[in-house]
Amino acid sequence: MKRTRTFEDVLAQIERRIAEDGLTAGDRLPAERRLAEQLGVSRSSVREAMRVLETLGVVSSQVGRGPDAGAVLIARPDSALTGLLRLHLGLATLELREVIDTRHMIEQWAAARAATGRHGTEALTAALAGMDAARTAEEFVEYDTAFHCALADASGNRLVSAVMRSLRDTMRKFSVEAVERLGDTAILRAGHVRILAAIEAGDPGEAAAAVSEHLADAYPELFTH
């Protein structure tokens, strides 16, 4: 059990170092031995953590010594996770209820967290403006999807953001159908405005309720009792 905790801690430290050092694709991480010394852990723990990052597509291991030793960063941890989730979800046929149930849980939590946090709402405001200027259902949904992904970002939780982005294509398909069925985007726009207002007012309860009612307006067949 101790080894597992050490490994998880090493993985977190490596990801933190990537973020804090501002490393980008093509940058090289320190060699295994040096990284173990810097983190104060065993080389086996570093090796295990690097294997996981390689599996996720975050790093590419390099065999060699000197300047060619170590691993090269090929993707940020959050973008690699998004791709992995998108691949996993793409292999399954997701039904409307599965997608909306998942969004309902995630977005209620995200909206409440955003209302209590200190994250900016600029992306939400920009998406709302884009919806106002949209001329087609597809264009409206493009900004609608951006709004909901921005809502996940505003929660400050990277995993929540990654999950929402992995659902983006599926969300878009169902959203276009919802807009075409409603025939009018006014009620959907009002829902977005209410969500944004609750977040800016710092009211987590109202923000969560606004998300729930917004999804019920878009997909009434799933929220009837």
Side-chain angles (χ1 to χ4, degrees):
M1 183 63 68
K2 183 176 180 181
R3 186 184 70 85
T4 301
R5 285 199 300 269
T6 299
F7 151 67
E8 291 173 346
D9 182 58
V10 171
L11 186 59
Q13 288 189 63
I14 292 174
E15 291 187 336
R16 191 179 308 119
R17 176 176 181 135
I18 290 172
E20 292 177 351
D21 290 355
L23 299 181
T24 58
D27 290 339
R28 190 180 300 278
L29 291 174
E32 183 182 287
R33 175 179 294 177
R34 185 178 175 190
L35 198 54
E37 292 174 350
Q38 291 176 345
L39 300 178
V41 298
S42 68
R43 289 183 65 178
S44 62
S45 293
V46 170
R47 192 175 303 120
E48 190 172 359
M50 295 303 288
R51 282 200 194 104
V52 171
L53 291 175
E54 186 169 14
T55 300
L56 288 173
V58 175
V59 302
S60 174
S61 296
Q62 301 292 310
V63 178
R65 296 187 176 185
D68 294 326
V72 173
L73 185 68
I74 57 178
R76 300 281 294 186
D78 50 359
S79 62
L81 179 58
T82 300
L84 183 68
L85 287 168
R86 184 180 297 117
L87 173 62
H88 173 71
L89 292 171
L91 297 176
T93 302
L94 295 174
E95 296 180 358
L96 175 61
R97 177 170 293 281
E98 294 174 305
V99 174
I100 301 308
D101 283 348
T102 301
R103 287 185 56 190
H104 193 209
M105 289 185 293
I106 290 176
E107 293 188 52
Q108 276 193 308
W109 181 89
R113 178 59 68 91
T116 60
R118 292 292 182 270
H119 298 277
T121 58
E122 294 83 1
L124 291 166
T125 302
L128 188 57
M131 282 182 263
D132 288 342
R135 296 183 178 180
T136 64
E138 288 77 10
E139 191 175 352
F140 179 89
V141 167
E142 220 31 64
Y143 289 104
D144 174 274
T145 303
F147 181 94
H148 290 280
C149 286
L151 178 61
D153 292 341
S155 75
N157 186 302
R158 290 180 301 162
L159 182 55
V160 166
S161 295
V163 170
M164 284 298 291
R165 277 170 171 71
S166 71
L167 286 171
R168 185 177 345 206
D169 291 340
T170 308
M171 285 167 52
R172 186 179 294 113
K173 178 185 73 172
F174 290 132
S175 295
V176 169
E177 292 173 357
V179 169
E180 291 176 342
R181 183 178 63 254
L182 290 170
D184 184 5
T185 59
I187 191 170
L188 299 180
R189 184 193 182 283
H192 292 124
V193 170
R194 181 182 170 191
I195 293 168
L196 178 57
I199 291 172
E200 292 180 333
D203 188 339
E206 165 64 9
V211 166
S212 186
E213 292 188 28
H214 171 62
L215 290 176
D217 287 334
Y219 307 96
E221 68 276 17
L222 299 182
F223 288 82
T224 55
H225 298 288

